[in-house]
Amino acid sequence: FNQEDGSFFRHKTPSTPHDSSEGILNGLGAICEKAGITPADIEFFLHGTTVATNAVLEGKGARVGLITSEGYRQVMQIARSFVPGGLAGWIVWPKPVPLAALEDTFEVAGRMNAQGEEVREIDEAQIREVLTKLKDSGVQALTVSLMNGYLNGAHESRIGELAAEICPELPVSLSHEVLPEMQEYERTLTTVANAAVRPVVGNYVRNLRSNLRSGGMAGSLSLLRSDGGLMSSEKSEEHPVALLMSGPAGGVTGALWVGKNAGIKNILTLDVGGTSTDVALIENLEARRVRTTEVGHLSVRASALDVKTVGAGGGSIAYVPELTGALRVGPESAGAVPGPVAYNKGGTLPTVTDANVVLGYLPENLLGGTFKLDREGAKAAVQTVADKLGIDVMEAARGIIDIVNENMFGALRMISVQQGYDPRHFAVMGFGGAGPLHVNAVAKLMGSWPAVSPVSPGVLCALGDATTRMRTETARSYSKSFTNTEEADVLAQLEEMAAQTTKELTSEGISADDVTVEFELDVRYEGQAFEVPLSIDPETFKSGGLAAIIERFDDEHERLFTFKMDSEHELVNLRAVALGPILDLEAQRLPEGNGDPIEAKVRDHQLWADGKMVPAVIYDRSKLKANDVIQGPAIVTEMDSTTLIEADCTGTVDAYGNILINLK
């Protein structure tokens, strides 16, 4: 992104799973060439990554040694008594293996009480013995999580000092630094997860940084956190648990930037890749955040954007089970290798992409004719499904698309209707490689208009990394009823935490004048087992006090659960969030057109609509102008994605190049 003239350059390059940094460097070389610069000209390098996510999903995290208080050795094995799944969950659910094994868990003497006062001293000789055993056993990372450590971390810190002396090669995660909040299981689990991905993320980030530096880049390197903020690469090595949803978060921050330019405040995001679809809700240009990050079966206490994922993507496989004889799509995927049949990479099973090719929604010539799709192969694959269902091949292909659209609709209902939002008050934005192909149909199901195909949808996640800001937070447990709470005490603690987080950002070279601070409070009714997080502006808190928080909580509780109560309120956790300045990147405006997109026309085409093949037009997105109106059925192609405008809709190109699709 060129900050001076608003121009941006994009490139897409194959991933290199053996060493992800290699793929990034390939892309960097290509993009510098396109932009006519050298790496030395780059001021900010912003990066979203799925390295931490994949380490958890594939079970490739480090072997973690855990040190706990006496009597708490089984904390990871006891876990929480929640079994996911339907009524038969307790029969068919295989309990996941804890991230820290029992044989790698050791107890040590010493105890803090519930007020954070020392009851029993630690035994340094015993700790040295435990650390030596762990070092000799071959663990790759260490976690220290002691009872009530969130109130007073002195014992944990001392164990950390001894570990630096006895096993300096092992990264150490201390629970009072990673998550200084009550509930020892969540605190321990989050700290263990942090330790498990530290070696993997640390190696990756150090590799990337040294390769960028040796390539001549002297600018700052920041990584995208799960909550949509940025953190320095050095901080990400210490606190990688904040990166677990780094990949999907980029799409949400990108959608915020597009929405701001397009004048759309309420957005449902639809990020469709090869294997899955990620959805999120943005209200009034604010994305919903949650206090738990979920990856696979792992649920850790770390701030994240509220992104839900379903197994529906371009590579999702269509099949007809013998038992029911009903068409199913996903969650199994053909992935990148062997991929859909149409890609000619050895795939044999019919996928969503193949159905799109058969129906004519995905033209055979992609990437300016450099990538040809095998329509006949795709047809033969979809024919196998048609034969099992006893219907025509085109009907079978349309059935596959209808089902995958319903799956996406289901995910969007989860984050809108089931959270108390009316989807008719939102636009739906489709991005990722396959999002713009499905966004029109999904908007119809939701009643959410316009359906938006943003500029450069296939790399919108990368654009999101470039349009967000540095973010850091700290937390503290409070746990008092509002009647026993002194407003001045709460404010003093929040301001102390605000100073701490501000200092973290100023140490990164950000001017103190550019730092904005927000407060977050976790509130519940007394006796409840869960909290509702509330974001509050410091000035609002100072003027409205605790009464304003009670009112906010009651309103939010009623919206989420349809009722509020007269019970006493309890303040559970306090958080201060410090935000750096927004990189104010101006979007480039398109030249004005006369409304007729004829100059962008590539050729006439035919696609399946309303039960028959109908004439359509293919357009080249790079040649569209502002105010052009595209009559459906039509297809708009570009370097990284394809947009489908259905027969009963029209697409209008806005000043910045986004295509806004509405019913005719």
Side-chain angles (χ1 to χ4, degrees):
F1 220 114
N2 183 332
Q3 283 173 272
E4 283 165 20
D5 64 8
S7 61
F8 69 94
F9 303 87
R10 57 192 167 151
H11 188 72
K12 204 164 186 176
T13 184
S15 303
T16 48
H18 62 278
D19 177 5
S20 304
S21 59
E22 204 176 288
I24 292 170
L25 295 164
N26 293 343
L28 179 67
I31 210 101
C32 284
E33 204 176 306
K34 276 188 189 177
I37 60 165
T38 67
D41 299 323
I42 296 168
E43 275 184 80
F44 302 100
F45 192 101
L46 311 162
H47 176 37
T49 177
T50 54
V51 168
T53 325
N54 294 346
V56 170
L57 290 175
E58 296 166 16
K60 290 183 180 166
R63 183 178 157 197
V64 180
L66 171 61
I67 296 176
T68 64
S69 297
E70 272 180 346
Y72 287 85
R73 186 166 170 241
Q74 279 86 5
V75 63
M76 293 292 287
Q77 281 67 29
I78 294 169
R80 286 272 177 229
S81 59
F82 170 73
V83 174
L87 290 175
W90 59 278
I91 304 170
V92 299
W93 181 59
K95 192 173 176 182
V97 178
L99 286 176
L102 195 58
E103 61 266 30
D104 293 332
T105 306
F106 289 85
E107 298 179 350
V108 293
R111 188 63 178 262
M112 298 287 179
N113 68 11
Q115 284 69 47
E117 298 152 353
E118 187 178 68
V119 178
R120 258 196 344 268
E121 288 183 6
I122 49 174
D123 178 347
E124 293 204 1
Q126 181 200 22
I127 291 164
R128 286 176 186 278
E129 193 182 315
V130 163
L131 287 167
T132 307
K133 277 184 190 167
L134 281 166
K135 180 187 176 182
D136 295 343
S137 71
V139 297
Q140 297 158 302
L142 271 181
T143 294
V144 185
S145 181
L146 304 180
M147 194 58 190
N148 295 326
Y150 67 95
L151 290 164
N152 182 344
H155 287 176
E156 290 189 355
S157 297
R158 182 60 189 141
I159 296 172
E161 288 166 11
L162 292 169
E165 179 191 314
I166 293 163
C167 37
E169 70 287 351
L170 295 181
V172 181
S173 298
L174 307 177
S175 79
H176 75 276
E177 290 177 356
V178 173
L179 185 72
E181 292 181 17
M182 62 189 275
Q183 296 183 320
E184 77 273 7
Y185 172 65
E186 280 74 10
R187 181 163 48 90
T188 305
L189 176 66
T190 303
T191 314
V192 167
N194 191 68
V197 294
R198 256 183 94 164
V200 182
V201 173
N203 283 342
Y204 170 68
V205 170
R206 281 190 297 276
N207 242 350
L208 179 62
R209 194 169 48 226
S210 66
N211 288 338
L212 288 171
R213 297 280 179 256
S214 60
M217 195 206 86
S220 67
L221 169 63
S222 304
L223 278 84
L224 190 73
R225 297 159 48 107
S226 306
D227 58 19
L230 293 164
M231 68 199 298
S232 71
S233 62
E234 289 79 9
K235 182 87 189 279
S236 72
E237 288 179 58
E238 291 170 28
H239 205 85
V241 76
L243 298 177
L244 286 173
M245 292 296 277
S246 170
V252 183
T253 53
L256 279 166
W257 187 75
V258 170
K260 200 162 74 176
N261 290 329
I264 300 170
K265 290 186 172 180
N266 294 345
I267 305 163
L268 296 167
T269 71
L270 183 74
D271 180 357
V272 188
T275 303
S276 60
T277 294
D278 298 321
V279 297
L281 180 140
I282 294 168
E283 183 187 29
N284 210 9
L285 289 178
E286 275 287 321
R288 270 182 68 89
R289 284 193 174 83
V290 286
R291 285 293 296 136
T292 49
T293 305
E294 292 182 17
V295 179
H297 64 76
L298 182 71
S299 176
V300 297
R301 190 74 67 83
S303 285
L305 294 177
D306 189 6
V307 176
K308 297 276 187 282
T309 303
V310 288
S316 294
I317 293 167
Y319 61 101
V320 180
E322 292 295 328
L323 185 65
T324 60
L327 179 60
R328 292 274 178 274
V329 182
E332 198 183 334
S333 170
V337 180
V341 178
Y343 284 9
N344 259 329
K345 286 185 180 173
T348 54
L349 300 169
T351 66
V352 171
T353 297
D354 294 316
N356 276 317
V357 172
V358 169
L359 294 163
Y361 302 161
L362 203 52
E364 286 115 287
N365 290 341
L366 290 179
L367 299 176
T370 57
F371 191 62
K372 285 204 167 22
L373 297 174
D374 177 7
R375 187 163 187 229
E376 290 312 308
K379 230 175 185 167
V382 175
Q383 186 70 53
T384 60
V385 169
D387 292 345
K388 280 188 182 170
L389 295 169
I391 57 174
D392 174 67
V393 68
M394 301 307 272
E395 285 175 346
R398 186 64 225 186
I400 292 169
I401 299 303
D402 287 343
I403 287 177
V404 84
N405 288 341
E406 285 287 345
N407 290 346
M408 294 173 190
F409 174 40
L412 285 165
R413 279 181 61 87
M414 248 191 318
I415 52 134
S416 56
V417 179
Q418 290 180 26
Q419 303 266 22
Y421 294 98
D422 185 340
R424 291 170 298 187
H425 300 156
F426 291 76
V428 59
M429 187 181 294
F431 50 93
L437 262 181
H438 295 269
V439 70
N440 194 165
V442 173
K444 269 188 201 169
L445 293 170
M446 299 285 294
S448 302
W449 300 101
V452 184
S453 171
V455 174
S456 207
V459 291
L460 189 78
C461 290
L463 185 65
D465 301 347
T467 53
T468 186
R469 58 214 287 208
M470 295 294 277
R471 178 184 171 101
T472 187
E473 63 175 54
T474 187
R476 198 174 283 181
S477 278
Y478 195 76
S479 235
K480 281 185 187 174
S481 64
F482 272 63
T483 45
N484 297 327
T485 297
E486 290 289 327
E487 214 165 271
D489 177 46
V490 176
L491 189 60
Q493 292 205 35
L494 284 167
E495 288 189 328
E496 186 187 318
M497 291 155 69
Q500 182 191 329
T501 51
T502 303
K503 191 177 169 189
E504 275 186 43
L505 288 189
T506 51
S507 68
E508 303 282 352
I510 295 170
S511 157
D513 298 339
D514 289 336
V515 176
T516 315
V517 174
E518 289 175 359
F519 296 153
E520 282 185 6
L521 309 175
D522 290 347
V523 183
R524 66 185 179 193
Y525 290 120
E526 208 163 44
Q528 279 185 324
F530 61 90
E531 305 83 46
V532 174
L534 302 172
S535 288
I536 194 152
D537 174 71
E539 294 311 311
T540 310
F541 182 73
K542 286 171 189 170
S543 58
L546 295 176
I549 293 164
I550 289 174
E551 194 180 325
R552 272 275 303 283
F553 171 78
D554 285 342
D555 290 348
E556 182 70 357
H557 196 281
E558 187 169 24
R559 194 186 57 71
L560 284 170
F561 308 110
T562 72
F563 69 95
K564 55 186 176 185
M565 292 158 63
D566 296 328
S567 310
E568 172 70 275
H569 296 73
E570 195 177 348
L571 184 52
V572 184
N573 296 311
L574 313 176
R575 273 184 304 282
V577 181
L579 300 160
I582 297 173
L583 287 176
D584 207 6
L585 301 175
E586 271 298 312
Q588 253 188 329
R589 287 175 171 268
L590 288 190
E592 294 264 340
N594 60 3
D596 186 350
I598 191 74
E599 286 177 31
K601 181 175 172 177
V602 177
R603 60 184 166 90
D604 288 316
H605 182 64
Q606 287 225 318
L607 55 75
W608 183 263
D610 302 323
K612 58 184 184 291
M613 292 301 280
V614 297
V617 181
I618 297 177
Y619 296 96
D620 177 352
R621 187 160 189 169
S622 63
K623 293 177 181 166
L624 289 171
K625 292 185 176 157
N627 304 327
D628 279 357
V629 178
I630 303 162
Q631 299 296 330
I635 291 168
V636 182
T637 62
E638 59 190 303
M639 179 270 283
D640 53 352
S641 195
T642 302
T643 304
L644 172 67
I645 299 166
E646 298 202 342
D648 53 355
C649 295
T650 57
T652 307
V653 182
D654 75 3
Y656 299 102
N658 305 303
I659 301 173
L660 310 179
I661 303 168
N662 283 290
L663 289 166
K664 280 182 182 171

